[in-house]
Amino acid sequence: MSIKLEKVVETFYENLEQGKIMGRKCPHCQNVEFPPVYACNECGSLETEWYEISGRAKLHSIVMPAALSSKPEYKNLGKYAYGEVELEEGSRLNAVVRGITKKKRKELQDKLPVNCHASIFQREGGYKTVVFDLDEEQ
């Protein structure tokens, strides 16, 4: 079965296959949208362009997955949590952050925000997605 994807979504996943994490940058106000969307949420321009993000980010909050919010397709991630991540380019998003246990969350809570970075993760089902990993100094 083939899935029909919107062009922006298709291009995003094609770039992940090539090892690139792409957002959309507005040529008018320089705002970067990630995950990528066609319109700039800052100024409303519809003329955004593809832009490879640095992947550098800060983790601002940590929420441990509850039984109802855990996803079976994430079982290969190991320990993870959800968190609000702010990319170096300015976009904020809720994301999956690997390597966080309940104990690690307690250690990090008073240090927030902490540095993290985007990584490409191969999900079961054949496609890649973006997750975040804590930087080594944590």
Side-chain angles (χ1 to χ4, degrees):
M1 181 173 97
S2 177
I3 298 173
K4 178 80 172 122
L5 299 174
E6 294 283 335
K7 189 65 182 162
V8 72
V9 175
E10 183 180 358
T11 301
F12 173 73
Y13 283 108
E14 286 172 351
N15 276 287
L16 286 181
E17 289 297 324
Q18 297 170 17
K20 295 178 183 176
I21 302 173
M22 304 296 286
R24 302 276 298 177
K25 186 172 185 176
C26 179
H28 302 286
C29 71
Q30 306 306 306
N31 182 54
V32 175
E33 296 290 341
F34 184 86
V37 292
Y38 282 124
C40 176
N41 282 312
E42 194 67 31
C43 74
S45 172
L46 297 174
E47 299 175 17
T48 60
E49 302 164 344
W50 286 106
Y51 177 84
E52 187 171 4
I53 66 165
S54 69
R56 292 183 291 276
K58 292 203 177 291
L59 175 63
H60 287 272
S61 66
I62 303 169
V63 176
M64 298 307 294
L68 291 176
S69 65
S70 62
K71 299 186 184 291
E73 63 266 28
Y74 289 161
K75 70 180 179 210
N76 293 336
L77 276 174
K79 297 292 183 184
Y80 70 93
Y82 301 107
E84 182 186 13
V85 172
E86 180 181 18
L87 295 178
E88 178 179 73
E89 291 83 0
S91 293
R92 281 188 179 234
L93 63 143
N94 292 319
V96 171
V97 184
R98 292 191 286 195
I100 298 180
T101 61
K102 287 181 182 177
K103 180 181 177 190
K104 184 77 171 172
R105 179 182 183 248
K106 285 181 184 173
E107 293 170 12
L108 292 173
Q109 204 62 41
D110 293 334
K111 297 178 185 178
L112 293 174
V114 296
N115 294 328
C116 61
H117 59 276
S119 298
I120 297 173
F121 174 71
Q122 178 70 53
R123 286 179 59 156
E124 285 184 23
Y127 68 95
K128 294 180 172 144
T129 192
V130 177
V131 298
F132 287 81
D133 293 310
L134 296 173
D135 287 357
E136 292 300 317
E137 75 267 8
Q138 277 21 287

